[in-house]
Amino acid sequence: MTSETHTTLPTRAQIQRAPKVLLHDHLDGGLRPATVVDIARETGYDDLPETEPEALGVWFREAADSGSLERYLETFRHTCAVMQTRDALVRVSAECAEDLAADGVVYAEVRYAPEQHLEQGLTLDEVVEAVNEGFREGERRAREAGHRIRVGALLTAMRHAARALEIAELANKYRDNGVVGFDIAGAEAGFPPTRHLDAFEYLKRENNHFTIHAGEAFGLPSIWQALQWCGADRLGHGVRIIDDIKVAEDGTVELGRLAAYVRDKRVPLELCPSSNLQTGAAASYAEHPIGLLRKLRFRATVNTDNRLMSGTSMTDEFEHLVRTFEYTLDDMQWFTVNAMKSAFIPFDERLSMINDVVKPGYAELRSQWLFRQASADRAVTSDSSRYLG
Ligand SMILES: O=c1[nH]cnc2c1ncn2[C@@H]1O[C@H](CO)[C@@H](O)[C@H]1O
Ligand SMILES: [Zn+2]
């Protein structure tokens, strides 16, 4: 019975209740469709492709499902358009924290590019302060609803633009006030991370943290630059590290120098399975490199990237992985501890999240599960399904 218990796959309800940690989620990629519609109406933005929330949600998913990162990114025009006022930014950020908390996320680092929210006169500082205010409000509302979440912001600079140093300075200015690190995002091909070396060197001199979108639409050279030229603490996606791993017919695995470095140095990979399927970085969940990377014990983490464009949540991402790779609660805990270890908040705070929140949460789920298993055994069920309802 014991081995059966340990191999039984978690149900959706368990996945949802399990404490989850999210390191890679875009604020402008996670709006509620109804909020996009509301703010567009309030602010007079009349360029939305659909004005009914459900249809708009479908539109985002389909438009983002293009197989190309560049076309995927075009959909952000509409979300950024409704995130240009203080009130809109506060609202979107508060709802983001609320939605993540309701999904069982206990710690999140949510990123956005301040430079994309200046069209109606806000300053960079005003943007950061509005988002911070929204996150605090969302944390408060989540607490009232019985959920516990902590949200930190990552400030993103757009890689095709030339404001990275300025945004890095902004991240440093707010490092003790809601902002936990820096990132660069946007189209990868043609915009190598070394274009923004000044920003990364500045942050390193300030002992600050940053992640870099690399190894998503473009392969190993981008990962190599992000790590060895720019000094990234984590890789946004990094999924193409798979190109440096050879699996022979007999199952023997050989890591190239870069893949070995990434694994040896425990470089966190912010993997985003559903997003990769949409941009063409992976063909199916079954073929997604996360399966092999987990087996090889890379520092892999599970993330949503853009909940609106992918119609996803942390629960959805884990559910896909559970069904595809037969991951158990132990696997989920492994990914979650990996993520918490890789967060940009101080070490003692990460440790206390792991010991006081993550591990007890999984222990509680396991004990409830054992209890249910024992009751089910007594009732002599004929249900052979491994997905216990
Ligand atoms: O997966 C991705 N790869 C690269 N850039 C992205 C991805 N998702 C979103 N953004 C870009 O990041 C900006 C700030 O949040 C978004 O506006 C979008 O252009
Ligand atoms: Zn991303």
Side-chain angles (χ1 to χ4, degrees):
M1 185 205 127
T2 314
S3 68
E4 173 61 22
T5 306
H6 283 291
T7 54
T8 306
L9 304 183
T11 62
R12 180 167 176 93
Q14 286 174 316
I15 296 171
Q16 208 241 325
R17 284 198 43 211
K20 294 174 288 294
V21 170
L22 175 53
L23 299 179
H24 191 131
D25 186 82
H26 293 258
L27 184 65
D28 53 332
L31 290 80
R32 299 176 186 169
T35 299
V36 180
V37 171
D38 269 1
I39 302 177
R41 200 188 316 109
E42 284 163 20
T43 58
Y45 178 68
D46 58 8
D47 217 15
L48 284 185
E50 297 284 347
T51 50
E52 193 278 314
E54 196 164 323
L56 184 63
V58 172
W59 182 87
F60 272 108
R61 288 198 293 281
E62 289 178 351
D65 213 4
S66 58
S68 127
L69 177 60
E70 285 72 11
R71 284 177 50 207
Y72 176 93
L73 293 177
E74 284 171 16
T75 61
F76 287 81
R77 177 165 72 87
H78 299 295
T79 53
C80 287
V82 298
M83 295 170 72
Q84 299 298 334
T85 65
R86 203 194 86 86
D87 287 354
L89 286 169
V90 173
R91 173 173 175 181
V92 166
S93 313
E95 290 178 354
C96 168
E98 262 187 305
D99 291 352
L100 295 179
D103 191 41
V105 175
V106 293
Y107 176 84
E109 291 179 0
V110 177
R111 64 191 76 195
Y112 63 99
E115 68 200 66
Q116 296 190 128
H117 305 278
L118 308 176
E119 279 165 25
Q120 286 175 34
L122 291 178
T123 63
L124 290 171
D125 287 72
E126 284 167 341
V127 171
V128 174
E129 282 163 27
V131 173
N132 281 349
E133 187 180 324
F135 285 153
R136 300 297 79 79
E137 170 63 21
E139 288 170 341
R140 211 166 19 246
R141 286 188 215 154
R143 209 159 39 237
E144 277 163 19
H147 303 295
R148 167 185 179 151
I149 189 167
R150 174 170 173 187
V151 181
L154 299 177
L155 300 192
T156 293
M158 299 308 293
R159 53 204 310 159
H160 57 268
R163 301 186 78 159
L165 180 56
E166 198 183 347
I167 303 302
E169 285 168 352
L170 190 67
N172 205 50
K173 177 173 172 190
Y174 283 91
R175 65 188 301 173
D176 296 317
N177 183 9
V179 175
V180 299
F182 174 80
D183 162 55
I184 60 166
E188 191 173 3
F191 301 100
T194 42
R195 281 188 87 221
H196 306 290
L197 212 48
D198 52 352
F200 303 124
E201 285 176 349
Y202 163 77
L203 288 169
K204 277 195 283 185
R205 283 197 303 272
E206 294 296 333
N207 305 302
N208 211 327
H209 311 283
F210 55 96
T211 176
I212 296 182
H213 274 78
E216 175 189 19
F218 202 68
L220 297 175
S222 175
I223 296 179
W224 177 71
Q225 280 199 5
L227 293 177
Q228 314 303 15
W229 286 82
C230 307
D233 298 289
R234 308 195 305 233
L235 293 170
H237 296 281
V239 61
R240 300 278 18 123
I241 197 64
I242 200 75
D243 297 346
D244 202 33
I245 303 177
K246 276 201 211 102
V247 183
E249 294 226 333
D250 66 357
T252 329
V253 174
E254 196 187 320
L255 303 190
R257 296 271 188 219
L258 182 60
Y261 180 92
V262 168
R263 188 171 72 160
D264 292 344
K265 296 284 261 191
R266 315 308 297 139
V267 176
L269 304 174
E270 304 164 356
L271 300 171
C272 310
S274 295
S275 167
N276 291 161
L277 263 52
Q278 289 186 296
T279 60
S284 66
Y285 290 106
E287 288 161 87
H288 195 281
I290 193 168
L292 182 61
L293 295 169
R294 191 259 173 276
K295 269 196 205 129
L296 297 175
R297 302 184 69 81
F298 277 74
R299 175 72 71 81
T301 68
V302 175
N303 301 275
T304 46
D305 208 12
N306 297 293
R307 287 169 287 119
L308 172 64
M309 285 73 181
S310 297
T312 194
S313 65
M314 279 299 270
T315 298
D316 288 336
E317 292 302 306
F318 272 112
E319 195 178 17
H320 288 301
L321 298 176
V322 161
R323 289 181 186 279
T324 307
F325 300 107
E326 306 207 325
Y327 287 153
T328 62
L329 281 178
D330 291 355
D331 294 298
M332 277 191 73
Q333 178 175 320
W334 182 81
F335 281 114
T336 306
V337 169
N338 272 353
M340 202 60 246
K341 282 179 179 169
S342 312
F344 286 159
I345 55 171
F347 172 72
D348 52 344
E349 295 171 25
R350 283 182 269 151
L351 206 58
S352 104
M353 285 296 294
I354 292 172
N355 291 328
D356 304 340
V357 181
V358 175
K359 288 185 175 173
Y362 281 90
E364 191 187 329
L365 280 173
R366 277 190 210 96
S367 71
Q368 287 170 352
W369 196 352
L370 283 169
F371 177 75
R372 222 173 35 170
Q373 274 288 109
S375 321
D377 287 352
R378 275 199 299 280
V380 192
T381 91
S382 58
D383 181 9
S384 60
S385 162
R386 301 182 72 215
Y387 296 95
L388 297 180

